[in-house]
Amino acid sequence: MNFSVPLILFAALSLSPSIVSAQSAAELLEAARAQSKEIEELKGVMDGPDRNLRLAAFDAMVAGDNSLYRDIAVEAGLASSDSLLRARALNHAIGSANSLVVTLSVDTSASKTIQELTTNYLAEKRQLLTLTLSDKSPSASGVTGSLSNDYKSGGDGSFEIQGLQLIFKGGYNYITGELTLKDDAVLTGPVSTSEGHRFIGTARLR
């Protein structure tokens, strides 16, 4: 993945302790180059052939205090071809998010009657579904937690990460969804309601 020089320079200026104490333009640039080199090395590890090293680097980067390194790790993990690394990145992205906005569209694999019902709902009601994520905790498969949403202003729901999937349900199962991580840090998959609507939901993580 490519990270621009301005981003690296900004990160170095704002995050590197050596820059905080720098007294001259030369020292600023030297510290910026040092952090740029660190970032390139970390990117190389994240893209490298050693899976164990990739996973260890990811865990170290997200556990540290440097928010830039956390962002780089998650962004690289979400885009990785390594399914285990992608799952860890998804777990961290959802675990650190307070909410997720899902764009709804008609599930064209549904029957014509269901498609008409769903189309009418989208035209009359909403095309966006906001999931509020709270009370998060780790589990064997990934982070789990409580969920509320703005479909009928419903609470008492739950969500969990299972591998590359975010699975959620509202109270009394009046709305449920299974969103799978795809390319470009996008979650997509079926969302349905107890009233018979069938959507395809899409949410961007970055």
Short mmCIF file of all heavy atoms in Angstrom, two decimals, residues 2-13 29 32-33 36 39-40 43 68:
data_model
loop_
_atom_site.label_atom_id
_atom_site.label_comp_id
_atom_site.label_asym_id
_atom_site.label_seq_id
_atom_site.Cartn_x
_atom_site.Cartn_y
_atom_site.Cartn_z
N ASN A 2 0.42 2.34 -0.63
CA ASN A 2 1.21 3.55 -0.74
C ASN A 2 0.74 4.58 0.26
O ASN A 2 -0.44 4.88 0.35
CB ASN A 2 1.11 4.13 -2.15
CG ASN A 2 1.75 3.22 -3.17
OD1 ASN A 2 2.78 2.63 -2.91
ND2 ASN A 2 1.13 3.11 -4.34
N PHE A 3 1.68 5.13 1.03
CA PHE A 3 1.37 6.20 1.96
C PHE A 3 2.17 7.41 1.52
O PHE A 3 3.39 7.34 1.32
CB PHE A 3 1.74 5.80 3.39
CG PHE A 3 0.95 4.64 3.88
CD1 PHE A 3 1.38 3.35 3.67
CD2 PHE A 3 -0.26 4.84 4.51
CE1 PHE A 3 0.63 2.28 4.11
CE2 PHE A 3 -1.01 3.77 4.95
CZ PHE A 3 -0.57 2.49 4.74
N SER A 4 1.50 8.54 1.35
CA SER A 4 2.13 9.70 0.75
C SER A 4 3.17 10.30 1.68
O SER A 4 3.10 10.18 2.90
CB SER A 4 1.05 10.75 0.43
OG SER A 4 0.46 11.21 1.62
N VAL A 5 4.14 11.02 1.08
CA VAL A 5 5.16 11.72 1.86
C VAL A 5 4.54 12.74 2.80
O VAL A 5 4.94 12.84 3.97
CB VAL A 5 6.18 12.38 0.92
CG1 VAL A 5 7.12 13.28 1.71
CG2 VAL A 5 6.98 11.30 0.18
N PRO A 6 3.52 13.54 2.36
CA PRO A 6 2.91 14.48 3.30
C PRO A 6 2.33 13.79 4.53
O PRO A 6 2.44 14.31 5.64
CB PRO A 6 1.81 15.14 2.45
CG PRO A 6 2.32 15.04 1.06
CD PRO A 6 3.02 13.72 0.99
N LEU A 7 1.72 12.63 4.37
CA LEU A 7 1.16 11.92 5.52
C LEU A 7 2.28 11.50 6.47
O LEU A 7 2.18 11.66 7.68
CB LEU A 7 0.40 10.68 5.06
CG LEU A 7 -0.09 9.74 6.18
CD1 LEU A 7 -1.03 10.47 7.11
CD2 LEU A 7 -0.75 8.50 5.58
N ILE A 8 3.37 10.97 5.91
CA ILE A 8 4.49 10.54 6.74
C ILE A 8 5.12 11.72 7.46
O ILE A 8 5.44 11.65 8.65
CB ILE A 8 5.54 9.81 5.86
CG1 ILE A 8 4.94 8.51 5.33
CG2 ILE A 8 6.81 9.53 6.64
CD1 ILE A 8 5.79 7.83 4.28
N LEU A 9 5.29 12.83 6.74
CA LEU A 9 5.87 14.01 7.35
C LEU A 9 4.98 14.56 8.45
O LEU A 9 5.45 14.90 9.54
CB LEU A 9 6.11 15.08 6.28
CG LEU A 9 6.75 16.41 6.77
CD1 LEU A 9 8.09 16.11 7.44
CD2 LEU A 9 6.92 17.37 5.61
N PHE A 10 3.66 14.60 8.19
CA PHE A 10 2.73 15.07 9.21
C PHE A 10 2.78 14.19 10.45
O PHE A 10 2.80 14.66 11.58
CB PHE A 10 1.30 15.10 8.66
CG PHE A 10 0.27 15.37 9.72
CD1 PHE A 10 0.07 16.66 10.18
CD2 PHE A 10 -0.48 14.35 10.26
CE1 PHE A 10 -0.87 16.92 11.17
CE2 PHE A 10 -1.42 14.59 11.24
CZ PHE A 10 -1.61 15.89 11.70
N ALA A 11 2.81 12.87 10.21
CA ALA A 11 2.85 11.94 11.34
C ALA A 11 4.11 12.14 12.15
O ALA A 11 4.08 12.12 13.39
CB ALA A 11 2.76 10.51 10.82
N ALA A 12 5.22 12.33 11.47
CA ALA A 12 6.47 12.52 12.18
C ALA A 12 6.44 13.81 12.98
O ALA A 12 6.89 13.86 14.13
CB ALA A 12 7.63 12.55 11.18
N LEU A 13 5.90 14.86 12.40
CA LEU A 13 5.82 16.14 13.10
C LEU A 13 4.93 16.07 14.33
O LEU A 13 5.20 16.69 15.34
CB LEU A 13 5.31 17.23 12.14
CG LEU A 13 6.28 17.67 11.04
CD1 LEU A 13 5.54 18.54 10.04
CD2 LEU A 13 7.46 18.42 11.64
N LEU A 29 13.67 17.62 9.52
CA LEU A 29 13.73 16.75 8.35
C LEU A 29 14.40 15.43 8.67
O LEU A 29 14.00 14.37 8.17
CB LEU A 29 14.47 17.47 7.21
CG LEU A 29 13.70 18.64 6.59
CD1 LEU A 29 14.60 19.38 5.59
CD2 LEU A 29 12.44 18.14 5.89
N ALA A 32 11.92 13.34 10.48
CA ALA A 32 10.87 12.91 9.55
C ALA A 32 11.37 11.76 8.68
O ALA A 32 10.66 10.78 8.45
CB ALA A 32 10.43 14.08 8.67
N ARG A 33 12.62 11.88 8.21
CA ARG A 33 13.20 10.80 7.40
C ARG A 33 13.35 9.52 8.22
O ARG A 33 13.13 8.41 7.70
CB ARG A 33 14.56 11.23 6.84
CG ARG A 33 14.48 12.32 5.78
CD ARG A 33 15.83 12.52 5.09
NE ARG A 33 15.79 13.64 4.17
CZ ARG A 33 16.25 14.86 4.43
NH1 ARG A 33 16.81 15.10 5.62
NH2 ARG A 33 16.17 15.83 3.54
N SER A 36 9.97 8.02 8.50
CA SER A 36 9.60 7.51 7.18
C SER A 36 10.26 6.16 6.93
O SER A 36 9.63 5.23 6.41
CB SER A 36 10.00 8.51 6.11
OG SER A 36 9.77 7.97 4.82
N ILE A 39 8.48 3.49 8.90
CA ILE A 39 7.20 3.14 8.28
C ILE A 39 7.42 2.23 7.08
O ILE A 39 6.70 1.24 6.89
CB ILE A 39 6.44 4.42 7.89
CG1 ILE A 39 5.95 5.14 9.15
CG2 ILE A 39 5.26 4.09 6.98
CD1 ILE A 39 5.35 6.51 8.88
N GLU A 40 8.42 2.55 6.25
CA GLU A 40 8.70 1.71 5.09
C GLU A 40 9.11 0.30 5.51
O GLU A 40 8.72 -0.69 4.88
CB GLU A 40 9.80 2.35 4.24
CG GLU A 40 9.37 3.60 3.49
CD GLU A 40 8.19 3.34 2.56
OE1 GLU A 40 8.18 2.30 1.90
OE2 GLU A 40 7.29 4.20 2.50
N LYS A 43 5.93 -1.48 6.63
CA LYS A 43 5.15 -1.84 5.45
C LYS A 43 5.74 -3.05 4.76
O LYS A 43 5.01 -3.93 4.28
CB LYS A 43 5.07 -0.66 4.49
CG LYS A 43 4.16 0.47 4.94
CD LYS A 43 4.43 1.75 4.17
CE LYS A 43 4.34 1.55 2.67
NZ LYS A 43 4.64 2.81 1.94
N LEU A 68 -0.65 6.38 14.26
CA LEU A 68 -0.33 6.22 12.84
C LEU A 68 0.01 4.77 12.53
O LEU A 68 -0.46 4.21 11.54
CB LEU A 68 0.84 7.12 12.45
CG LEU A 68 1.34 6.91 11.01
CD1 LEU A 68 0.27 7.31 10.00
CD2 LEU A 68 2.63 7.68 10.77
#
